[in-house]
Amino acid sequence: MAAKPTTRCPNCGTLNRIASQAEGVPRCGKCKEPLPWVVDATRDTFAAELRASVPVLVDFWAPWCGPCRMVSPAVAAVAEDLAGKLKVVKLDIDTAPAIADEHGVQGIPLLVLFRDGGEGRAPGRRGSRLLSCANGFDSALVAATARA
Ligand SMILES: [Zn+2]
């Protein structure tokens, strides 16, 4: 088993380990502020990671995908901006082709927002543009899920 990833608290700088949880959101052990919530899923944990009390943004990616590397920092920035309001689940589709098929992933990067059983999609460059304007992201989330 790999060590659990650590996340630095943007508020006080403390390193926190984030455990899987279906209820609530991860908070800093020291200052109790919500932490950016980004997890790497595997084919075994993906379904469980989708169950959260906040909307879940899934980043379908693969190590060979250059555009995915460009989207990744934007996804991380949104996770920080929306700490406590959003969970990000990253899935390397090479390790989980069956899940990619199940969700009809035809090309990456693909960002899919899951919320209350619905989903909204932002493929490729549209996804990165969506993510680059973090201010509009809350309403973008709502719009994306409303279309689902
Ligand atoms: Zn803190």
Side-chain angles (χ1 to χ4, degrees), residues 24-90:
V25 297
R27 287 178 182 277
C28 176
K30 192 172 177 191
C31 73
K32 309 300 179 198
E33 286 294 307
L35 292 168
W37 198 2
V38 181
V39 300
D40 283 301
T42 66
R43 76 183 161 206
D44 297 326
T45 63
F46 185 73
E49 295 290 5
L50 284 191
R51 286 194 291 274
S53 52
V54 291
V56 179
L57 183 70
V58 178
D59 179 4
F60 291 100
W61 71 285
W64 45 263
C65 165
C68 294
R69 282 194 290 275
M70 291 162 63
V71 167
S72 187
V75 170
V78 166
E80 187 164 329
D81 285 348
L82 296 180
K85 299 183 202 161
L86 181 75
K87 177 181 184 180
V88 173
V89 174
K90 296 174 77 76

Side-chain angles (χ1 to χ4, degrees), residues 101-112:
D101 277 353
E102 190 184 319
H103 291 278
V105 177
Q106 310 239 319
I108 51 173
L110 177 68
L111 302 169
V112 180

Side-chain angles (χ1 to χ4, degrees), residues 9 11-12 28 31:
C9 172
N11 186 52
C12 73
C28 176
C31 73

